Amino acid sequence: MSRIVYVNGEYLPEEQAKVSVFDRGFLMADGVYEVTSVLGGKLIDFGGHMARLRRSLGELSMGNPLSDDDYLAAHRELVSRNGIENGMIYLQVTRGNPGDRDFAFPPEDTPQTVVMFTQEKDNLADNPAATTGWKVILTEDLRWSRRDIKTVQLLFPSLAKMEAKAAGADDAWLVEDGVITEGTSNNAYIVKDGTIITRQLSSDILHGITRAAVLRFAREAQMKVEERGFTPDEAKAADEAFVTSASAFVMPVVEIDGARIGEGKPGPVAQRLRDIYIEEMRKAAV
Ligand code: PMP
């Protein structure tokens, strides 16, 4: 069945939805995006995603074509029109179509492009992968240095994901100057002697919306949290490891570059945080 997608104010069957070949998102990856999960037909942490969207746009001196209320209404409309119980809503905003290709930004009144679509995923909350855990490989982080901006420039993460798949793993953790930054599309954590360790916020990593919520819940549950970088050796010797993202929630990691983590099974901290996250976010969903 064809989806109904949103393009610049219109709701269209996906086959009829079109964006210009001159769109700067297409030509220059001059666009930003957000992915919001849907559980039980409701949006998870929508406010967090809107706040980060505003920040990404601001960092790139790009306008924000819609209000938060407009984005919310469009998200809800897509959930309803596509009958989404569980899944994700993808939102992309670009600098639009100046009608030609030019490195210089187009005039500020150039209409921007806004696209949204749904991806259904029935087992989002009871994902079988969460009971076995992910295997990750380590690879060099060759992305640009403004990873705090959620741009659609995703070629390197995609290459790293393919490298992981070729190695029989689920994802790659990226390493820069001997320290892990994050996963290809998630934030990375280890647990040692009960302390949760994850890289501090900076322009080296994306400021995960799930990361913020999970660290808040961890602190509320009196767990110890250290925000600092950790090395591959430290990771391989950890008691537990996991990643967080809007679509994976809290996903245990059981192997890092061939080294078994802990018992080689999802650990208690990751499992507990996953349960708390899903429960609390369901309550707060809009
Ligand atoms: N880091 C990167 C590089 C990502 O692409 C993502 C997911 N978009 C994350 C972290 C996790 O962010 P969030 O929890 O907001 O999905």
Side-chain angles (χ1 to χ4, degrees), residues 33 49 52 143 150 182-187 206 208-210 244-246:
Y33 75 108
H49 290 286
R52 186 172 60 191
R143 296 173 299 166
K150 197 166 168 64
E182 59 187 332
T184 61
S185 57
N186 44 66
N187 292 113
L206 186 76
I209 300 305
T210 319
T244 63
S245 78

Side-chain angles (χ1 to χ4, degrees), residues 17 27 35 49 54 104 108 162 210 223 234 261 269 278:
L27 293 178
V35 177
H49 290 286
R54 282 194 301 272
E108 270 180 23
M162 291 312 290
T210 319
M223 299 179 186
E234 212 181 345
I261 304 306
V269 173
I278 293 173

